[in-house]
């Protein structure tokens, strides 16, 4: 499945049907009275988060969504049919913005959550509705109300518990492949990973969490260098970051700081997230070299890094346990559901 995490689409809710002006006409019945029915309601445009989707790719092929119009009311008190709703199926983690891309309309964070983005116009009242004791033959009905149209932006921010960050070639994808059933592309050149990947991790054969691997960051990513920082949005919701540093690089401390600077420049509180630092590729290093790199990394990170090898598996269980400890704590605190997903009403 192709990955797409942004889409701009145009939606329009249905117009309400007009009310009807009509009078009862039957042989031998005088003054039959008004019997114009009400118009039907226009259809709504609804967005719903569904299971089993992790891309907005469907919205590359279709960008216009129009709900059905309500039908007009008819004589003999017949109500017009309501217009059909249109439901946009989006992956969990989709945020919906106004056209400006800044004003958040809805944040769909749970399967099944839905929001009405554009409400259909109400149908007009038929003349039967306006019958009163003083006006027993009203000759007017209401028109249906028009639907609304708007342009919206969908932005997918994957929902993972932990996210792996680091320079290109740090071994992020190798790590994800080692601890989950995900099969990301791995190769010995920068920017092997072109879009985020998710994997489900088992720790000690029990509890699970979702781990995200994102494309590598380089200096100036926030200014668009390399693949830029646009994929950092996918770790915005993570509870913890795993910062992998390539031990075979020149200076592990400098590599660490480069990535930290990009996190700070990106904003969105990413720099304040709990982070576990790990020196990777220990299998390819001698004892002394490991000691030197650990010292550099400790000075830069102001905490002791774990020493691991994503290839041999050395130290990997420790990383998973450390991640899970932080995730569990955050899950406990978050037991009260956040209002972020509260339904938005136009
Ligand atoms: N010796 C050794 N090599 C490793 C280890 N982990 C990763 N590699 C190698 O490092 C290279 C890059 O690994 P990737 O997993 O593709 O790196 P990445 O961080 O995902 O890179 P990008 O996707 O480009 O950001 C590959 O050739 C891996 O085989 C390790 O623990 N030891
Ligand atoms: Mg990769």
């Amino acid at each position: 499945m192709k990955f797409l995490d942004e889409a701009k689409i145009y939606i329009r809710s249905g117009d309400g049907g007009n009310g009807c002006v009509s009078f009862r006409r039957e042989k031998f019945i005088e003054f039959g009275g008004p019997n114009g029915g009400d118009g039907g309601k226009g259809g709504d445009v609804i967005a719903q988060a569904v299971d089993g989707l992790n891309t907005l790719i469907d919205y590359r092929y279709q960008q216009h969504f129009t709900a059905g119009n309500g039908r007009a009311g008819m004589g003999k008190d017949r109500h017009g049919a309501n217009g059909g709703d249109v439901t946009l199926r989006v992956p969990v983690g989709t945020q919906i913005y106004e056209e400006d891309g800044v004003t958040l309309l809805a944040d769909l964070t749970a399967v099944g959550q839905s929001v009405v983005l554009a409400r259909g116009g109400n149908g007009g009242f038929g003349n039967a509705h306006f019958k009163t004791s003083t006006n027993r033959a009203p000759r007017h009905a209401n028109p249906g109300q028009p639907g609304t149209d708007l342009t919206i932006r969908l932005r997918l921010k994957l929902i993972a518990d932990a996210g792996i960050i680091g320079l290109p070639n740090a071994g992020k994808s190798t790590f994800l492949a080692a601890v989950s059933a995900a099969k990301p592309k791995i190769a010995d050149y920068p920017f092997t990973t072109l879009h985020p990947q998710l994997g489900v991790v088992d720790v000690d054969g029990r509890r699970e969490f979702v781990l995200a691997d994102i494309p590598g960051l380089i200096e100036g990513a926030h200014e668009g260098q390399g693949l830029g920082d646009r994929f950092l949005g996918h770790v915005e919701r993570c509870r913890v970051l795993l910062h992998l540093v390539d031990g075979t690089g020149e200076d592990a401390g400098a590599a660490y700081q480069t990535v930290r600077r990009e996190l700070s420049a990106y904003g969105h509180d990413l720099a304040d997230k709990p982070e576990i630092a790990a020196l990777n590729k220990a299998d390819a290093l001698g004892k002394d070299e490991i000691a030197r790199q650990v010292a550099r990394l400790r000075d830069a990170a102001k905490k002791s890094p774990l020493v691991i090898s994503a290839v041999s598996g050395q130290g990997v269980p420790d990383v998973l346990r450390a991640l899970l400890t932080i995730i569990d704590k955050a899950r406990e605190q978050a037991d009260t559901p956040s209002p972020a997903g509260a339904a938005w009403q136009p």
Side-chain angles (χ1 to χ4, degrees), residues 196-255:
Q197 308 273 342
L198 292 182
V200 178
V201 183
D202 275 4
V203 183
D204 301 330
R206 290 180 290 125
R207 291 163 299 171
E208 312 177 317
F209 65 89
V210 178
L211 182 63
D213 165 32
I214 62 166
L217 295 169
I218 57 172
E219 189 167 351
H222 70 282
E223 293 163 337
Q225 299 294 321
L227 292 180
D229 61 0
R230 59 173 298 244
F231 294 109
L232 276 178
H234 294 285
V235 294
E236 256 176 50
R237 306 186 199 242
C238 290
R239 302 171 201 270
V240 54
L241 301 177
L242 170 60
H243 189 157
L244 285 189
V245 181
D246 183 350
T248 64
E250 238 167 61
D251 182 339

Side-chain angles (χ1 to χ4, degrees), residues 166-175 185-194 213-217 248 280-284 308-312:
L167 294 181
N169 264 336
K172 300 180 295 298
S173 303
T174 311
F175 187 91
K185 189 171 165 197
I186 295 168
D188 193 11
Y189 56 82
F191 306 117
T192 318
T193 303
L194 297 176
D213 165 32
I214 62 166
L217 295 169
T248 64
N280 190 25
K281 308 197 186 180
D283 61 295
I308 69 165
S309 163
V311 167
S312 78

Side-chain angles (χ1 to χ4, degrees), residues 11-15 45 117-121 146-150:
I11 59 175
R12 179 172 168 76
S13 58
D15 298 335
V45 179
L117 296 172
R119 201 167 281 287
T148 49
D149 54 351
L150 67 159

Side-chain angles (χ1 to χ4, degrees), residues 47 94-98 103-106 108 115 117 152-154:
T94 302
Q95 294 182 329
I96 300 167
Y97 291 85
E98 278 183 15
T103 316
L104 183 67
L105 299 179
L108 302 176
V115 60
L117 296 172
I152 57 173
R153 286 175 192 274
L154 306 180

